[in-house]
Amino acid sequence: MTFFLRFHFSELSHTSKIERAVLSKRRLSLAVCVLLVLWSVSVFGGTTGKLAGRVVDKNKEPLPGANIVLTGTALGGVTDPDGYYTILNIPPGSYEVQFRFIGYATYVVKNVQVIVDNTTKIDAVLQEEGVTTQEVVVTAQKPVVDVNLTSTVATVSDRQISALPVQDLQDIVNLQAGVVDGHFRGGREGEVQYQVNGVSINNPYDNASSVKIDRSLIQEVQVITGTFDAEYGQAMSGVVNTVLKSGTDHFTWNAEVYDGDFLYSSGGKRGLTYTSHPLSTQSFQANVSGPTGIPQTYFLASGRRYVFNDYLYGTQTYVPTDTSVDHPTGGGKQVPLSYSYEWSGLAKITNKSLPGIEISYQALFNYSDARNGTWQWRLEPDGMRKQKTTSYIQGLDVTQLLSKSTYYTLSLHQNYFDYTDWAYDNFYDARYDSAKPPEVLPNSDANYRGVDFGRFRQKTNSYIAQFSVLSQVTHDHQIKIGGEFQYSDLAFGTAGTLVYLQEAGQNVLKRYVDLPPDYPGVQYYKPISGAAYAQDLIEWNDLTIRAGVRFEYFDARSTIPSDLANPANAIAGAPSSYAKRTTPKMTYAPRLGVSYPITTTSGIFFSYGHFYQLPPLRDIFSNANYARLALIQAATSDYGVLGNPDVKPERTVQYEFGYKNALSDVLGMSANIFYKDIRDLLGTEFISTYNDARYSRLTNVDFGNVSGFTISLTQRRVGIVSTTLDYTWQNAIGNSSDPAETANLAEAGRDARPRQEPFNWDQRQTVNGSITVSQPEDYSISVILRYGSGLPYTPNIGSGFGSQIETNSGRKPSSFLVDLRAEKDFSIGSVSFNAFLRVFNVFDATYFNGDVFPTTGSPDYSATPFTDKFLLANPLRYYSPRKIEIGISLSQLAPLQ
């Protein structure tokens, strides 16, 4: 951290005299931020839960000094003089809890579920040994509703995940109420904080997760779609906190392999002739964990190989260097237009040899070699670009129990992400020269020669330091304070430009690595951020209050023109402009949540909070070189929307009110209403120069609001059947769905004035349901049903200028999907087997909130069929067809001898 600060200040030492007057204030602000971070502790979310309750005798008198032990662990506690106990820092999972007191029979509670950032309450009434000499054993049941939660939180355990037709984390997230294809309760994409074991894994480039997480690695997932505590930052719409599995004290292993293919009828709307490709999807995964041989040191290692070939195949009729339509040289082999070949894995080691201290190191990695194909390349697929991604997160975590009521956690992590998108790795590859740009067959939209000249690279290397302290200061109060510091090395842009220019009357291929403003290359930025918070959890009698405040700091460490009316110093006689440093941005965000049980089985809750987030750095840094405006003149505006590294954080104020009720022992109901006031979204402003020219740039001008409600029903297993059902209605409106939308409207000659319109992702009605028929350790059949009302689209009443009517005034058709998983358990010796079948899109639906023709609002036909003839023949406008996967998993649960 000292190095980063020294680097920052030494860089500033070369600034102009005009700026030096504000540098001392900047240094003071940054120093205060860093000191606050070092004094306080963790922007990261929780990874453990808490067990609490009271131990009394049959006369309801407290039993001070009673021992509480979590069987098979070193965790436990002792009751206070009033019989109360609290056990902190418990990893999520299912436990057996024993209550012991001299002269009383041991009281045992099995299947106690501990959830991250939550309190599981277990009370015990002990019987004197004179009354009974045997253990009293009961089995805990998770309540159908948790009346102590102060906001909407969905917690999914590893057992629940294993029974669903899902494969990775994002599949699990999209099943939750209020989530529509990554949008949480009407927010924009990139407004969700993804965490692994409490530490952010977001890539600040686009605010998306840096890695994909396979379901086999997950112990528990928390999806928070409502308001959230002050410990969570850089998010406006939701939080996804994933706790990974850890090594065990005995050797265990498990493995899974499956194969899949698409299955659909020939013809139909897609117009394809079905061909079977039995190995189009392949997955091979294995986990092993156990002791390392070092005292109290355990490991977990996991690896997965995944092969996916999409259903749409092209034919290598042509190759990029072909010169004649009539003489193809490709050979005619069929290949998938899109594919993804991936390696992923996890290595984790945990040491508990020091009293009260747990030290762990983990590394989670992904590598993929992919191609995102388009229909235009179906006859010459070798000319398309390929995408390669290498990403990993690694880190060291230290947790020390300072006392029975206080512990701290220190985390030092690195998040690395490297993405490339080009046809050939070498910019100077001779195949670019021999292939030339793509050319289309006559009277067709299919390429017959050439190669895609596009080249893009994005690389992020982030270092995160976090430290937190949690203390149960009294029986009623749990205090948590935290902070973080993050340094990011960010690079993105065009990794070399290939362009044909006229020289001596001939087209010559020219290469420009980095020649701004016309041919900019990869740009480099080194922003820093910090945060601190304080959170109080009050559990007083039946009342639960979560109150906190959060401070955030961000410095883009970049420059903008000091005079936006002469941004490139190109206007004669105008005041001069210089490169001015961006100013650090600081925010304070209060959060409050209250839950009050009306009865033992029903309760109400209310929550409120301010939530801030920096826009994706991709947006604020892209096209941010104002030197490109050197030749700007009146009536010219073809410069695109310029970036702005000096924008403020975006802001959302959320309100939520809910009611929960256990309608019976097996049926629970939860209902909530929510409202989000969204301000300072990234949008477009227009700036006039001294010579009456005009250009556009990004700034905090967009706004919106979301209102809605959710009703959820959960039916615990009765006999062999369990079900869930949730319905969400929402109204998400604002002045634009995209930061550049206003500029695009103005460029098209349409009304660009602010107005309220539905966001592109405004799905008014969403229904998620599941039905499970199961017999534990025998068989299970799970069906997931998803319904969505139509998303907005902008209708056309014809073609040409002025044909579009009001933005997003039309609605696409509604859609419905069904997925299924069936499995059968059996065992041979000490090995357990699970044979399974997964079917995605069971009824082979061709449409699910995809594209429609703006003249009709239908995906099937257009009012201008001649104009849209190529698009009408493109099967990719439809949803992916039915897909079937068949596999088997096996595990060794007993200790190996």
Side-chain angles (χ1 to χ4, degrees), residues 211-537:
V211 293
K212 293 174 63 176
I213 303 175
D214 185 71
R215 67 177 193 155
S216 65
L217 305 177
I218 298 173
Q219 178 68 38
E220 181 178 286
V221 176
Q222 271 195 341
V223 182
I224 307 175
T225 53
T227 58
F228 38 92
D229 290 346
E231 62 183 301
Y232 299 106
Q234 283 302 302
M236 294 198 301
S237 291
V239 175
V240 177
N241 188 16
T242 304
V243 179
L244 301 182
K245 295 179 179 179
S246 297
T248 55
D249 59 2
H250 59 278
F251 280 106
T252 63
W253 60 266
N254 62 74
E256 180 184 85
V257 58
Y258 66 82
D259 177 48
D261 191 12
F262 293 93
L263 180 63
Y264 56 94
S265 300
S266 297
K269 293 181 178 181
R270 298 185 186 92
L272 299 174
T273 300
Y274 175 71
T275 303
S276 175
H277 298 91
L279 301 178
S280 63
T281 299
Q282 304 170 49
S283 177
F284 307 89
Q285 177 267 327
N287 294 347
V288 61
S289 70
T292 62
I294 303 172
Q296 295 189 354
T297 303
Y298 316 105
F299 77 94
L300 170 65
S302 174
R304 184 182 184 223
R305 171 62 171 169
Y306 178 64
V307 174
F308 171 72
N309 294 312
D310 209 355
Y311 71 96
L312 195 60
Y313 278 65
T315 304
Q316 290 176 325
T317 304
Y318 298 93
V319 299
T321 54
D322 279 346
T323 57
S324 171
V325 173
D326 300 322
H327 297 89
T329 64
K333 180 181 178 181
Q334 281 200 334
V335 295
L337 290 182
S338 297
Y339 60 77
S340 180
Y341 307 142
E342 303 176 15
W343 290 96
S344 61
L346 169 70
K348 185 174 183 179
I349 187 168
T350 305
N351 178 277
K352 301 180 180 180
S353 61
L354 299 175
I357 299 178
E358 178 179 308
I359 303 173
S360 67
Y361 168 81
Q362 67 179 17
L364 180 67
F365 78 92
N366 293 157
Y367 171 78
S368 70
D369 184 355
R371 182 168 70 190
N372 298 322
T374 61
W375 185 236
Q376 185 176 351
W377 292 93
R378 61 190 179 275
L379 299 181
E380 190 224 328
D382 294 338
M384 286 186 284
R385 291 183 290 176
K386 303 174 184 65
Q387 298 78 39
K388 292 183 180 180
T389 304
T390 301
S391 62
Y392 61 82
I393 59 173
Q394 64 170 339
L396 181 70
D397 301 288
V398 179
T399 300
Q400 182 176 8
L401 193 64
L402 301 177
S403 69
K404 288 293 185 181
S405 61
T406 303
Y407 69 90
Y408 74 83
T409 300
L410 170 67
S411 296
L412 302 173
H413 280 237
Q414 178 192 16
N415 296 343
Y416 179 86
F417 183 88
D418 189 3
Y419 170 84
T420 60
D421 183 6
W422 49 53
Y424 307 123
D425 292 340
N426 187 354
F427 179 49
Y428 296 95
D429 196 307
R431 287 175 289 183
Y432 280 123
D433 302 84
S434 57
K436 299 184 179 180
E439 292 187 29
V440 179
L441 285 169
N443 300 315
S444 173
D445 66 335
N447 296 335
Y448 78 93
R449 61 165 295 170
V451 67
D452 193 329
F453 276 9
R455 294 181 60 85
F456 177 80
R457 179 162 204 160
Q458 198 279 301
K459 184 177 179 181
T460 303
N461 198 2
S462 296
Y463 298 91
I464 303 172
Q466 300 184 159
F467 182 74
S468 71
V469 170
L470 184 146
S471 181
Q472 190 76 36
V473 292
T474 69
H475 169 67
D476 300 325
H477 283 268
Q478 178 182 286
I479 301 293
K480 188 175 184 180
I481 54 176
E484 83 169 11
F485 180 83
Q486 179 169 330
Y487 165 83
S488 296
D489 196 342
L490 179 70
F492 69 93
T494 303
T497 301
L498 295 153
V499 60
Y500 275 94
L501 299 177
Q502 284 279 331
E503 285 189 1
Q506 294 189 1
N507 284 332
V508 178
L509 180 63
K510 306 292 287 185
R511 287 175 165 86
Y512 299 101
V513 175
D514 188 12
L515 189 63
D518 295 325
Y519 307 111
V522 175
Q523 304 298 304
Y524 299 89
Y525 303 93
K526 301 181 185 296
I528 59 173
S529 62
Y533 76 87
Q535 181 82 34
D536 186 11
L537 169 61

Side-chain angles (χ1 to χ4, degrees), residues 34-45:
V34 174
L35 287 174
L36 191 55
V37 168
L38 293 176
W39 167 81
S40 63
V41 277
S42 155
V43 171
F44 51 105

